[in-house]
């Protein structure tokens, strides 16, 4: 009988499931700033995700304490560089509330108009960049063409291209240039006539729909648990918008025009649809504001302020529906010309934390689709 020889082959740990740690970033095309994601993978599937933030932190909240109430506007408008006007707005509303100050009607309607134009500018960036992150390059060119149209309008009225510095405590820096409302109306009309590019080119693309439908479903319970807000929350069926539910500026008079766009699916496609539909509605709101401004009699655009502006001792909280979600401003004053404390609650900070729940269980291939659909700016996270 021929002797049998047994051979043992060592395969080590390769036969077992092995976790791998993968770092996305801190520089990555879909992060809109310097964000790092630490992913733990089991093969192609994500088992754990941790957003690592702080790479762009500049200590703005501490700097607020060393600047007077005019200077902090400059600091506050930079954290979300796509929403500078809206960022300024929250600060001045908080200071005006502390002072018990009434703002002229022209300033109220002009602020509302510019806030909606700024919302469109913000949304156009994501309407163009999100398809780009999924491999579609054409929409970004259209998005920047339309952004330029509105940028010219905003630059003419404020003098600033991205960081407008047009808000002031008590109103606005100065009145509108002669003929500006007509040029703004023409720009809004031109943009509206071309918005079907995004409806047809992006939403009508079966590859885009295949990459986003049913991917990254965010449950309403997670929205509430993490304080997610804005179009991302409304895409999950959380029907909340400060412009309707706690109106500020002139939104109380715009309820017939204002449409709070919601979806129930909570996936990447629903978030994009909410953003696109909200852009259409912001153009309608801008037209309504222009109609009202044209009918207003001539009057002041701001309040006369003392040379040294001091808020009375106390505290207040103001919040606004920024393009990316709810921004909150908690202001504490000790009666000095500088804030004792100004705490900023930014939308992107809360929104990005939902990745901890969204990414586990998904494939690495879907990670960029989910990440891009959260529509965040990293400066808004780190402050």
């Amino acid at each position: 009988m021929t002797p049998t020889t047994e051979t043992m082959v060592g395969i080590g740990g390769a036969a077992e499931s092995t976790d791998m740690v993968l770092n996305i970033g801190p520089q990555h095309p879909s992060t809109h700033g310097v964000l790092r994601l630490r992913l733990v993978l089991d093969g192609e599937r994500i088992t754990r995700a941790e957003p690592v933030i702080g790479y762009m932190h500049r200590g703005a909240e501490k700097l607020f304490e060393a600047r007077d109430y005019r200077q902090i506007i400059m600091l506050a408008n930079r954290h979300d560089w796509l929403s500078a006007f809206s960022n300024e707005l929250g600060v001045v509303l908080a200071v005006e509330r502390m002072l018990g100050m009434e703002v002229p009607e022209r300033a109220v309607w002009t602020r509302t108009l510019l806030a909606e134009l700024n919302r469109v500018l913000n949304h156009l960036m994501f309407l163009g960049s999100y398809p780009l992150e999924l491999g579609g390059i054409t929409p970004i060119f259209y998005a920047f063409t339309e952004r330029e149209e509105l940028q010219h309008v905003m630059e003419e009225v404020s003098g600033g291209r991205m960081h407008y510095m047009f808000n002031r405590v008590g109103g606005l820096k100065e009145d509108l240039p002669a003929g500006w409302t007509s040029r703004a109306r023409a720009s809004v009309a031109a943009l509206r006539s071309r918005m079907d590019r995004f409806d047809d080119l992006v939403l009508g693309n079966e590859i885009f729909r295949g990459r986003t439908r049913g991917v990254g479903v965010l449950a309403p319970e997670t929205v509430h648990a993490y304080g997610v807000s804005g179009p991302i929350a409304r895409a999950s069926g959380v029907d909340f918008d400060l412009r309707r539910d706690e109106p500020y500026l002139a939104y109380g008079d715009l309820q017939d025009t204002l449409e709070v766009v919601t979806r129930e699916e909570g996936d990447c496609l629903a978030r994009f649809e909410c953003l696109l539909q909200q852009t259409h509605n912001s153009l309608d709101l801008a037209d309504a504001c222009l109609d009202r401004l044209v009918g207003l009699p001539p009057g002041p655009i701001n309040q006369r302020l003392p040379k040294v502006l001091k808020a009375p001792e106390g505290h207040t909280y103001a919040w606004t529906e920024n393009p990316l979600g709810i921004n909150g401003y908690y202001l504490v004053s000790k009666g000095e010309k500088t804030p004792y404390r100004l705490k900023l609650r930014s939308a992107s900070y809360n929104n990005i934390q939902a990745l901890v729940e969204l990414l586990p269980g998904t494939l690495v291939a879907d990670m960029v689709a989910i990440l891009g659909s959260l529509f965040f700016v990293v400066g808004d996270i780190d402050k």
Side-chain angles (χ1 to χ4, degrees):
M1 184 176 178
T2 306
T4 302
T5 304
E6 291 185 3
T7 305
M8 295 291 292
V9 179
I11 57 175
E16 304 172 6
S17 176
T18 305
D19 287 344
M20 181 180 78
V21 177
L22 177 67
N23 282 294
I24 304 295
Q27 292 283 8
H28 191 274
S30 67
T31 57
H32 295 277
V34 190
L35 175 72
R36 174 180 158 216
L37 284 179
R38 185 178 182 274
L39 307 178
V40 179
L41 309 180
D42 181 2
E44 286 292 311
R45 200 162 293 279
I46 299 169
T47 59
R48 195 163 67 250
E50 177 193 359
V52 183
I53 63 176
Y55 290 92
M56 299 186 71
H57 181 63
R58 60 194 177 96
E61 290 176 345
K62 197 65 183 172
L63 292 173
F64 289 152
E65 300 171 15
R67 306 292 190 277
D68 66 34
Y69 288 106
R70 292 179 174 90
Q71 295 168 328
I72 60 174
I73 299 171
M74 179 274 295
L75 285 170
N77 78 0
R78 282 163 163 73
H79 54 88
D80 175 1
W81 46 77
L82 300 176
S83 312
F85 187 86
S86 302
N87 299 340
E88 301 169 11
L89 197 54
V91 175
V92 296
L93 289 176
V95 178
E96 286 162 4
R97 184 173 296 177
M98 286 285 286
L99 293 167
M101 182 180 290
E102 196 74 26
V103 177
E105 189 178 13
R106 282 185 65 81
V108 171
W109 282 96
T110 306
R111 281 177 172 180
T112 311
L113 167 63
L114 296 177
E116 290 305 315
L117 293 179
N118 195 195
R119 193 181 308 276
V120 174
L121 281 170
N122 175 289
H123 290 354
L124 281 171
M125 174 63 78
F126 292 105
L127 292 173
S129 68
Y130 186 43
L132 177 66
E133 288 151 15
L134 298 180
I137 193 171
T138 308
I140 194 71
F141 296 122
Y142 287 131
F144 268 86
T145 300
E146 310 310 337
R147 275 175 55 85
E148 281 300 312
E149 182 94 33
L150 281 187
Q151 287 280 27
H152 290 318
V153 170
M154 297 291 282
E155 187 174 3
E156 182 187 356
V157 74
S158 68
R161 182 166 174 79
M162 285 188 68
H163 304 298
Y164 306 109
M165 280 301 298
F166 197 53
N167 275 291
R168 295 292 187 272
V169 176
L172 294 167
K173 175 185 172 186
E174 56 196 9
D175 209 341
L176 304 174
W180 181 86
T181 53
S182 299
R183 292 188 288 276
R185 193 186 296 277
S187 295
V188 169
L191 177 52
R192 183 186 284 106
S193 69
R194 297 193 290 262
M195 282 300 292
D196 59 343
R197 291 170 171 174
F198 299 99
D199 294 288
D200 301 336
L201 187 65
V202 182
L203 284 182
N205 186 297
E206 62 183 66
I207 298 174
F208 177 83
R209 298 183 77 88
R211 288 292 307 275
T212 55
R213 186 192 286 114
V215 175
V217 177
L218 183 63
E221 298 78 23
T222 307
V223 169
H224 293 301
Y226 284 87
V228 176
S229 59
I232 303 170
R234 293 191 283 274
S236 295
V238 179
D239 188 6
F240 182 70
D241 190 315
L242 284 174
R243 296 173 298 170
R244 179 198 63 194
D245 301 321
E246 287 197 22
Y248 58 99
L249 294 181
Y251 289 114
D253 296 323
L254 292 169
Q255 296 302 301
D256 292 339
T257 308
L258 176 64
E259 177 190 0
V260 180
V261 184
T262 61
R263 293 289 187 276
E264 296 297 327
E265 297 84 356
D267 57 8
C268 296
L269 180 60
R271 291 191 278 274
F272 186 86
E273 287 176 342
C274 272
L275 200 75
L276 179 56
Q277 191 60 38
Q278 190 168 287
T279 307
H280 283 286
N281 186 237
S282 288
L283 293 172
D284 295 338
L285 289 167
D287 269 340
C289 290
L290 285 165
D291 291 340
R292 184 61 183 266
L293 273 172
V294 170
L296 286 178
I301 198 78
N302 50 36
Q303 293 276 25
R304 297 184 70 88
L305 299 177
K307 186 174 182 180
V308 177
L309 181 64
K310 294 184 179 181
E313 190 168 347
H315 60 92
T316 192
Y317 186 78
W319 56 348
T320 58
E321 187 69 40
N322 262 42
L324 298 181
I326 292 174
N327 270 25
Y329 304 84
Y330 179 58
L331 173 63
V332 181
S333 171
K334 289 293 184 73
E336 302 295 332
K337 65 178 183 178
T338 60
Y340 177 74
R341 185 81 173 91
L342 180 53
K343 175 71 177 72
L344 170 61
R345 187 263 192 217
S346 58
S348 297
Y349 180 84
N350 287 71
N351 292 354
I352 202 68
Q353 306 307 319
L355 286 170
V356 175
E357 301 283 344
L358 270 179
L359 290 179
T362 63
L363 297 172
V364 176
D366 291 328
M367 184 273 300
V368 171
I370 297 170
L371 185 63
S373 73
L374 289 189
F375 312 129
F376 61 89
V377 169
V378 178
D380 200 42
I381 300 170
D382 291 345
K383 303 188 287 293

